[in-house]
Amino acid sequence: MTSQVSSPAEQADGAGGAVVGGQRTPESPGGKEVRRLDRVIIRFAGDSGDGMQLTGDRFTSETASFGNDLSTLPNFPAEIRAPAGTLPGVSSFQLHFADHDILTPGDAPNVLVAMNPAALKANIADVPRGADIIINTDEFTKRPMAKVGYATSPLEDGSLDAYNLHPVPLTTLTVEALKDFGLSRKEAERSKNMFALGLLSWMYHRPTGGTESFLRQKFAKKPEIAEANIVAFRAGWNFGETTEDFAVSYEVAPATRAFPTGTYRNISGNLALSYGLVAASQQADLPLYLGSYPITPASDILHELSKHKNFGVRTFQAEDEIAGIGAALGAAFGGALGVTTTSGPGVALKSEAIGLAVSLELPLMIVDIQRGGPSTGLPTKTEQADLLQAMFGRNGEAPVPIVAPRTPADCFDAALDAARIALTYRTPVFLLSDGYLANGSEPWRVPEVADLPDLKVKFATGANHTLADGTEVFWPYKRDPETLARPWAIPGTPGLEHRIGGIEKQDGSGNISYDPANHDLMVRTRQAKVDGIRVPDVDVDDPDGATTLVLGWGSTYGPITAAVRRLRGAGLPIAQAHLRHLNPFPRNLGEVLERYEKVVVPEMNLGQLATLIRAKYLVDAQSYNQVNGMPFKAEQLATVLKEAIDD
Amino acid sequence: MTEVTEATDGARTLLSLVPKAESKQSMKDFKSDQEVRWCPGCGDYAVLAAVQGFMPEFGLAKENIVFVSGIGCSSRFPYYMNTYGMHSIHGRAPAIATGLATSRRDLSVWVVTGDGDALSIGGNHLIHALRRNVNLKILLFNNRIYGLTKGQYSPTSEVGKITKSTPMGSLDAPFNPVSLAIGAEASFVARTVDSDRKHLTEVLRQAADHQGTALVEIYQNCNIFNDGAFEVLKDKDQAQEAVIRLEDGQPIRFGADGAKGVVRNPATGDLEVVPVTTANEAQILVHDARNSSATTAFALSRLADPDTLHHTPIGVFRSVERPVYDTLMADQLDAAIDRSGKGDLGALLTGNDTWTVVG
């Protein structure tokens, strides 16, 4: 066994379950030994300025194009450049890749790349003994070590004896490799992340062409810098191949058997969500109008959609969050697919406008990429604590449907589904993603456009009501009897001139009405409309007839499913259900919950779904909560679920 | 409706994007079936009548006209117009109207707001609509008081105003909406008075023709909570000395027989009111609303005494042409199609970096 082989429990993350790690294969032509692994977890860690996110992105791209299944976890501070060399300034990128299907970015890295003492200190607790640690020794000098509280050098004091340590003078080697470029030492040092990437690419047999063409494109205007980075990248690769410290390299075969046939690409949650919005607009044949104010971690959707003006996409960077949703709502009144994107603090500011959209009964998509709260909270970390805000955070009875994607790629389908609900039922809809889904990535089977749902709508074109005297009139609040949706009559349609507003309206005519009985009717009707939204039944995965059900929603899908696999692998029956629709709940949810003796609800909040479940179904759901800004680990959930089963 | 012709470029084309009425319209066509519910004697009635009276002359298809309002007495306005309309939430009408106007250039979009709605809770949206130069016509009903909430001082109330919320007098200095708008890069700024139907209509006419955001401040009497606030501008005897009527290309003179005029003080560069004499007659400032510099328009907006309203200019302070946000936005969409072709969803989803799994 090598240090690369993870424990049997961790292996159970894979569906196939075939453990091939540690198998010896013949020596490579280069004379070095090659071993096959079924999966690897790598974490790149360095200073915020060290380019760790870029390094991780590139390694991910190489891995995706090689055909492994993968899952990523970028983790970075909110500061653009936190003080150099400090613990709060550490930025990391974890990547889990495998020859079978995997669900999470992995609990513990098999390999840690630490670019400086702070990166080592901040990450070592997550690294299991026996794992590989590649250290940039150039940064392990007295001052940087003292800065993070290392009294003695961890490279020499024996504290890392339990690990497979690879001390590499990354900076020196990079500068040496670039000595012919005439760059200053500082400029040359910047390429050390590419040296590290080259080394890791050699270790894991990654294809390199993509990174080289990426660098040429990225630095197209500075070909000298592009070449320097490519030389550093190749130097890293060659270093791995020649130095004796790295005696073994590893192969992780493509995950061909794990995937249905098709064309695949790697995609992050925010990108998938952006594409979902463009697709929804195309499928609805309505122009997309995004009103948005920059906010982490949602801004990438604004950036992405701004690139697609040739799809008729209008992006409006508003003066504030309220104007963002206001403009989207105004565009929706005019017949556009109106969208606003934000995170929790922005939702708080938009609340009154969401209430107006509820009252106007116009289609509107509110995308909330949740982050740690309250207030500014943890802008770059993940959390699921906006569920109750989405559910109840408005004055009056203002029901809003809620859709939550479960994986990065699922953000595409969830966006289409949210658009379907908004357009069919003429209502604002929440799409609740989170920071983990937004920045994480995984392979995505590219759908055929012909297979996407038809979202076309019919605008009102004429009178829809006959008055007692026989006059044909248009009533803006006369509803479709099946969906309870009101007609969407857009300005420019002759004869349908009407006025709508936030004041209570008379049922049917839409005229201002303060009549108590009418208000009671309208409040109940708006609620009935949302309650009646058609959503698919929730699937229950229960092959063994379990008595305990684990119920999740949103981005906890990966870790929960990985934990469930571990338990089943160990012979413990457990049932799993995962909610995409939080409002309304699937029709069969109450019946499903009743079937189980125990219901455990893991959430990255203090029990918000559990609160809703308990209130609605009178089920004694057990909450398991984590609010540390990070996704659950599969091992941790497996332990908790086992305790629940055994209890 | 008549055929819509696509705008080519440049000025005087934005209105051509909005369909014209097929047949002659009358004021009655623009009255909705809703009972008007302002207090009897409110200045809002006069403004409503003036707008309804102007619309047939404006000649656009009424289904292509939209009134968007915020919250406050004046914001009930859209309910009384037989056009499309939205009575939205407090202060946000410019934002909502921006989304509508920038996505539907075939519409004529009007915002109706008040001093509290536009300058207090919605101040941010107002200034940003003005700087962007979105194609909106904003009617700001300024009665210098909160009416709908029953009489608190507003951001245009004079200092020391005694109201329910300020029994010892208000403390904050008021905004001058015209100064504010000019400072916010407005391309069209005018002021008029509710009771002067002719003047109000003429200002509406010019605002309606303007390419971009037009801000029209309408001094409007709240006969319940701030009655007579603008009496000095309405009372025939006093008005002659208090009101300065701005007419483009004309010397700025007012008072009995035009006895007073506005000149630039050569020492300070500021504007001041002087008695007109044969000696200084040639120095009387000639109003130039189309001056590319906003300096003189701003100076004119500062002439009025905020307490007594003496030397209050009315009319069009500024009317200049500059790029309209809606047009720029539409141009970018066209340019993107020119550059990359019309979007191909399949190609977008596939991207450039794929791999294939075969069975």
Side-chain angles (χ1 to χ4, degrees):
Chain A
M1 297 285 274
T2 75
S3 64
Q4 295 287 315
V5 179
S6 36
S7 71
E10 281 170 341
Q11 296 287 358
D13 189 355
V19 180
V20 295
Q23 275 180 3
R24 281 174 179 266
T25 56
E27 289 195 349
S28 72
K32 286 201 179 184
E33 184 186 337
V34 178
R35 291 183 200 161
R36 287 194 63 197
L37 299 175
D38 65 333
R39 63 192 204 102
V40 176
I41 301 163
I42 296 176
R43 185 182 295 180
F44 296 95
D47 214 40
S48 320
D50 282 344
M52 291 298 98
Q53 299 306 316
L54 176 72
T55 308
D57 276 341
R58 286 319 312 161
F59 198 92
T60 302
S61 244
E62 294 172 0
T63 297
S65 67
F66 187 67
N68 294 123
D69 194 9
L70 64 90
S71 174
T72 68
L73 178 64
N75 186 14
F76 45 88
E79 292 78 13
I80 303 303
R81 289 280 185 278
T86 62
L87 292 174
V90 173
S91 168
S92 71
F93 188 104
Q94 183 163 312
L95 167 75
H96 183 187
F97 61 104
D99 66 359
H100 56 274
D101 82 312
I102 51 170
L103 296 151
T104 73
D107 290 359
N110 307 117
V111 186
L112 172 69
V113 179
M115 301 298 280
N116 66 6
L120 178 69
K121 182 127 190 173
N123 289 284
I124 190 69
D126 294 337
V127 184
R129 280 152 201 281
D132 287 282
I133 300 180
I134 297 169
I135 296 249
N136 179 13
T137 52
D138 289 324
E139 288 291 321
F140 281 71
T141 53
K142 210 164 186 182
R143 269 191 62 198
M145 287 196 289
K147 210 177 220 175
V148 294
Y150 281 127
T152 56
S153 170
L155 306 183
E156 291 156 11
D157 64 10
S159 62
L160 299 176
D161 282 355
Y163 303 92
N164 192 13
L165 197 64
H166 303 275
V168 182
L170 282 169
T171 312
T172 307
L173 289 169
T174 305
V175 172
E176 179 64 20
L178 302 182
K179 64 175 188 288
D180 294 339
F181 278 82
L183 300 169
S184 70
R185 184 178 168 86
K186 208 172 167 191
E187 283 170 321
E189 279 179 9
R190 281 206 195 113
S191 297
K192 64 181 182 288
N193 62 331
M194 287 299 109
F195 189 97
L197 179 63
L199 175 57
L200 271 289
S201 298
W202 171 80
M203 272 180 79
Y204 293 97
H205 295 219
R206 300 292 96 182
T208 57
T211 293
E212 295 196 2
S213 55
F214 167 85
L215 289 170
R216 287 207 174 88
Q217 205 178 340
K218 181 175 167 70
F219 297 107
K221 284 179 186 154
K222 297 175 184 167
E224 182 89 343
I225 299 293
E227 272 322 299
N229 275 297
I230 289 168
V231 166
F233 177 61
R234 288 180 184 164
W237 176 287
N238 294 336
F239 178 77
E241 196 165 59
T242 50
T243 187
E244 286 180 7
D245 185 34
F246 292 90
V248 184
S249 66
Y250 304 90
E251 274 183 354
V252 179
T256 40
R257 281 171 305 161
F259 296 120
T261 58
T263 302
Y264 286 79
R265 65 178 285 174
N266 187 49
I267 200 158
S268 70
N270 272 353
L271 186 59
L273 201 152
S274 305
Y275 286 177
L277 294 173
V278 174
S281 133
Q282 297 281 303
Q283 293 303 101
D285 203 14
L286 298 176
L288 185 67
Y289 193 102
L290 174 70
S292 184
Y293 187 77
I295 185 170
T296 303
S299 302
D300 282 340
I301 304 172
L302 168 62
H303 305 161
E304 183 61 34
L305 290 178
S306 299
K307 293 181 200 164
H308 303 301
K309 296 185 199 299
N310 62 329
F311 284 84
V313 175
R314 284 177 162 83
T315 53
F316 174 64
Q317 182 177 316
E319 58 271 23
D320 58 28
E321 294 280 359
I322 301 170
I325 189 172
L329 186 58
F333 183 59
L337 177 59
V339 182
T340 191
T341 50
T342 189
S343 187
V347 173
L349 286 163
K350 294 178 198 291
S351 298
E352 190 190 13
I354 299 170
L356 176 64
V358 168
S359 181
L360 297 181
E361 302 192 43
L362 283 170
L364 182 69
M365 297 175 70
I366 303 134
V367 179
D368 176 3
I369 313 296
Q370 300 166 92
R371 67 189 214 190
S375 188
T376 306
L378 302 174
T380 59
K381 311 292 178 191
T382 196
E383 206 161 282
Q384 292 183 299
D386 292 349
L387 176 57
L388 294 184
Q389 177 177 227
M391 190 76 189
F392 299 120
R394 290 164 295 284
N395 63 305
E397 297 287 352
V400 176
I402 303 170
V403 178
R406 56 172 62 179
T407 70
D410 186 46
C411 289
F412 179 82
D413 295 319
L416 280 164
D417 197 27
R420 167 190 70 89
I421 292 172
L423 293 167
T424 308
Y425 297 90
R426 313 282 147 78
T427 176
V429 175
F430 264 105
L431 186 54
L432 278 190
S433 177
D434 63 33
Y436 169 49
L437 295 181
N439 294 320
S441 66
E442 64 174 353
W444 177 49
R445 184 171 171 276
V446 180
E448 294 291 336
V449 172
D451 297 338
L452 298 178
D454 180 3
L455 300 176
K456 287 198 182 57
V457 292
K458 285 201 175 92
F459 294 128
T461 54
N464 62 351
H465 186 75
T466 311
L467 296 178
D469 65 1
T471 318
E472 295 281 308
V473 294
F474 174 67
W475 271 16
Y477 279 79
K478 183 160 179 172
R479 295 167 191 281
D480 178 296
E482 195 190 324
T483 61
L484 298 183
R486 73 176 192 89
W488 195 1
I490 63 169
T493 316
L496 305 194
E497 294 84 1
H498 65 279
R499 279 65 56 190
I500 54 177
I503 299 184
E504 187 59 281
K505 289 150 285 281
Q506 189 177 49
D507 180 38
S509 76
N511 292 328
I512 290 179
S513 168
Y514 300 122
D515 174 54
N518 177 73
H519 177 58
D520 188 274
L521 173 71
M522 291 298 277
V523 167
R524 292 175 195 276
T525 305
R526 285 187 288 260
Q527 184 67 48
K529 181 176 83 167
V530 171
D531 291 344
I533 289 170
R534 292 171 70 96
V535 303
D537 278 353
V538 65
D539 286 329
V540 184
D541 178 34
D542 184 9
D544 309 313
T547 56
T548 298
L549 173 75
V550 55
L551 178 72
W553 69 280
S555 77
T556 53
Y557 175 76
I560 292 176
T561 310
V564 165
R565 282 184 187 174
R566 285 174 196 217
L567 293 178
R568 288 181 189 159
L572 286 173
I574 183 158
Q576 184 192 0
H578 206 80
L579 293 172
R580 171 192 289 280
H581 297 100
L582 284 308
N583 193 30
F585 284 130
R587 298 279 181 283
N588 68 334
L589 182 58
E591 180 263 316
V592 165
L593 294 172
E594 268 179 33
R595 265 191 257 156
Y596 293 92
E597 286 172 23
K598 283 178 208 155
V599 176
V600 184
V601 185
E603 293 179 84
M604 296 187 292
N605 58 43
L606 293 185
Q608 300 195 3
L609 174 62
T611 299
L612 294 175
I613 295 290
R614 293 173 75 106
K616 188 170 169 73
Y617 300 106
L618 298 177
V619 167
D620 186 18
Q622 301 173 27
S623 236
Y624 179 71
N625 312 113
Q626 169 177 299
V627 280
N628 63 2
M630 297 293 283
F632 285 114
K633 290 179 174 172
E635 180 64 35
Q636 160 201 10
L637 282 181
T639 306
V640 168
L641 294 174
K642 184 174 182 309
E643 281 168 8
I645 294 168
D646 294 344
D647 188 18
Chain B
M1 67 186 104
T2 54
E3 194 175 308
V4 187
T5 49
E6 265 304 312
T8 46
D9 58 358
R12 309 259 74 91
T13 57
L14 281 182
L15 261 183
S16 69
L17 294 175
V18 186
K20 303 283 179 293
E22 279 184 335
S23 52
K24 200 166 159 22
Q25 299 166 322
S26 72
M27 183 171 171
K28 198 168 153 273
D29 293 324
F30 288 93
K31 292 185 175 173
S32 78
D33 60 356
Q34 297 298 293
E35 181 194 1
V36 184
R37 293 191 200 172
W38 288 311
C39 306
C42 176
D44 290 355
Y45 283 94
V47 185
L48 178 63
V51 172
Q52 287 170 336
F54 165 69
M55 284 291 153
E57 173 200 323
F58 193 29
L60 301 180
K62 68 183 163 72
E63 65 268 21
N64 286 72
I65 299 171
V66 186
F67 280 82
V68 181
S69 64
I71 292 294
C73 292
S74 59
S75 285
R76 298 295 179 95
F77 194 98
Y79 288 117
Y80 310 134
M81 293 294 299
N82 190 21
T83 61
Y84 283 86
M86 187 195 292
H87 177 216
S88 74
I89 44 177
H90 209 5
R92 317 304 171 198
I96 291 168
T98 292
L100 184 60
T102 55
S103 58
R104 291 285 307 272
R105 296 200 302 150
D106 62 331
L107 303 177
S108 171
V109 183
W110 296 67
V111 170
V112 177
T113 182
D115 40 321
D117 193 55
L119 301 172
S120 210
I121 193 166
N124 199 30
H125 307 305
L126 179 75
I127 58 175
H128 288 276
L130 293 170
R131 82 172 162 90
R132 288 190 187 105
N133 205 27
V134 180
N135 197 21
L136 301 174
K137 313 305 156 205
I138 303 176
L139 308 182
L140 195 169
F141 293 40
N142 181 6
N143 56 16
R144 308 188 78 181
I145 200 78
Y146 280 85
L148 197 64
T149 50
K150 302 190 177 179
Q152 301 81 11
Y153 78 107
S154 92
T156 56
S157 294
E158 59 278 18
V159 176
K161 184 90 172 167
I162 305 285
T163 71
K164 281 179 198 155
S165 61
T166 50
M168 295 172 72
S170 63
L171 303 173
D172 26 347
F175 268 137
N176 175 328
V178 170
S179 301
L180 181 78
I182 293 170
E185 309 290 347
S187 58
F188 182 101
V189 188
R191 178 187 288 142
T192 183
V193 184
D194 57 0
S195 54
D196 189 343
R197 172 83 171 258
K198 193 169 159 232
H199 189 266
L200 176 51
T201 304
E202 176 52 31
V203 166
L204 287 176
R205 189 174 289 132
Q206 293 193 43
D209 276 345
H210 179 70
Q211 318 270 316
T213 315
L215 180 94
V216 179
E217 181 190 22
I218 305 171
Y219 280 159
Q220 170 252 322
N221 191 43
C222 172
N223 59 322
I224 305 296
F225 295 108
N226 203 18
D227 196 24
F230 305 104
E231 196 52 30
V232 63
L233 309 177
K234 297 177 177 187
D235 174 76
K236 266 208 170 121
D237 297 334
Q238 298 182 73
Q240 208 167 41
E241 295 303 315
V243 176
I244 304 175
R245 286 175 180 265
L246 300 175
E247 283 172 55
D248 202 27
Q250 296 298 314
I252 304 174
R253 295 177 65 159
F254 65 105
D257 302 320
K260 290 181 180 168
V262 174
V263 295
R264 192 185 305 280
N265 180 325
T268 65
D270 210 350
L271 300 184
E272 50 196 36
V273 171
V274 294
V276 180
T277 63
T278 45
N280 69 8
E281 199 169 358
Q283 273 81 57
I284 302 298
L285 188 71
V286 174
H287 183 48
D288 179 11
R290 303 187 188 281
N291 190 339
S292 60
S293 162
T295 307
T296 305
F298 186 81
L300 281 170
S301 77
R302 311 305 295 173
L303 277 179
D305 182 314
D307 294 321
T308 66
L309 296 185
H310 276 160
H311 304 159
T312 295
I314 64 169
V316 178
F317 286 72
R318 180 162 171 77
S319 175
V320 295
E321 285 188 3
R322 65 181 180 88
V324 178
Y325 187 87
D326 328 21
T327 308
L328 297 173
M329 194 185 225
D331 287 350
Q332 282 198 341
L333 264 58
D334 292 341
I337 291 171
D338 284 347
R339 197 182 307 158
S340 324
K342 211 164 177 311
D344 174 343
L345 185 59
L348 174 72
L349 301 185
T350 305
N352 303 318
D353 204 358
T354 59
W355 68 96
T356 309
V357 174
V358 287

